[in-house]
Amino acid sequence: MNGPCKRFLQDGPRLIASLVFSILAMTLLPEAAYAGRYVDLRRVEPIRGDMASGAAKTTVCVACHGPSGNSIVPQFPSLASQRAEYLYQRMAAFKALNPKDPNYASSPMPALVQNLSVQDMRNIAVYFAAQAQVAQVPPSATAVDGRGAALYSGGDPARGVPPCQGCHGVSALGGPVEYGNHYLAYPVLRGQHAAYLVSRLTNFRNGVPNGSSNDFIMHGVALSLDDGSIQSLAAWLESLPPASAK
């Protein structure tokens, strides 16, 4: 095998990820995103926190997100083993949401995080990120088809759908942070509840939320996904075992 081919096989996932991210960032982000109106997650930095302090603040969290962040209600996302940076940014986004925003009342989160400090949110994020993810009840065989896996790994060029693995990683464990800190803001999708993923992708398609650079990227991606594609992707991702259970 010649040198260029060997290099492509070795660096293929990184090249795909970089290409997808660059194209979407250039084409989907409005000018205001560069003017400071939106949170620019392309420059996110690793966070630090204290797990013990975070655990002490999770009494309310586990009511919806389950013991140790493993949700038993499909509509609520599991937080265990999620990236700390993603969790922190989500809490910060809820805290910054204007009470007059029509989406404010659609979630209990904005009110729940109002009394948390920046360090509180970092501590909570670090705590949940360190918890082991528990395998979900597997979906029925009929719910999982080859379409979800195909969309995740290869996208659908004919419809302008990029491969999800470009930003969320080949194994759906988040993008390759060794190629840039901006991948820290892309969540782990592996083993997440299908009902939550369907809701999230549908909301992205409808332009909600719209407060960060990643929100605009996901809006552009989700616009190319029909309901069937979203269902297939969500069911396939839910069927994947946690990394620790493989």
Side-chain angles (χ1 to χ4, degrees):
M1 182 180 295
N2 60 36
C5 289
K6 183 180 293 185
R7 182 178 178 184
F8 179 80
L9 289 177
Q10 292 173 340
D11 295 346
R14 176 180 66 83
L15 295 173
I16 292 172
S18 298
L19 178 62
V20 169
F21 185 84
S22 298
I23 292 174
L24 290 175
M26 289 187 294
T27 59
L28 299 178
L29 294 184
E31 183 178 351
Y34 298 93
R37 179 179 174 186
Y38 304 100
V39 178
D40 190 348
L41 296 181
R42 296 170 301 167
R43 297 175 178 84
V44 67
E45 293 295 330
I47 67 168
R48 301 287 183 270
D50 181 78
M51 284 195 292
S53 297
K57 293 279 187 178
T58 62
T59 303
V60 174
C61 307
V62 299
C64 292
H65 297 286
S68 300
N70 285 286
S71 169
I72 59 176
V73 180
Q75 285 72 27
F76 297 121
S78 287
L79 308 180
S81 296
Q82 186 56 266
R83 284 185 164 167
E85 290 75 18
Y86 171 77
L87 293 175
Y88 169 75
Q89 293 296 338
R90 288 292 290 144
M91 285 186 282
F94 280 125
K95 187 177 177 68
L97 196 61
N98 190 320
K100 295 182 180 180
D101 189 301
N103 299 307
Y104 187 94
S106 65
S107 169
M109 285 299 299
L112 292 174
V113 299
Q114 284 309 306
N115 293 327
L116 295 177
S117 67
V118 168
Q119 193 57 53
D120 287 337
M121 293 189 291
R122 289 174 176 166
N123 294 341
I124 291 170
V126 168
Y127 167 74
F128 280 124
Q131 305 308 301
Q133 184 185 16
V134 175
Q136 307 288 352
V137 176
S140 65
T142 56
V144 182
D145 55 38
R147 189 180 183 192
L151 282 170
Y152 187 89
S153 62
D156 186 347
R159 297 174 57 199
V161 181
C164 308
Q165 67 163 323
C167 292
H168 293 282
V170 175
S171 300
L173 291 171
V177 295
E178 61 268 28
Y179 299 127
N181 282 346
H182 56 274
Y183 287 112
L184 291 168
Y186 287 92
V188 174
L189 302 179
R190 188 182 191 90
Q192 187 59 267
H193 287 301
Y196 170 73
L197 292 173
V198 167
S199 174
R200 195 90 164 101
L201 285 169
T202 302
N203 284 340
F204 275 131
R205 191 172 62 188
N206 294 332
V208 180
N210 57 7
S212 76
S213 51
N214 284 10
D215 294 339
F216 285 101
I217 290 173
M218 283 305 303
H219 173 57
V221 172
L223 279 175
S224 300
L225 295 172
D226 58 25
D227 289 345
S229 297
I230 288 176
Q231 293 284 350
S232 294
L233 268 172
W236 179 74
L237 287 165
E238 183 183 50
S239 73
L240 300 178
S244 58
K246 287 192 298 182

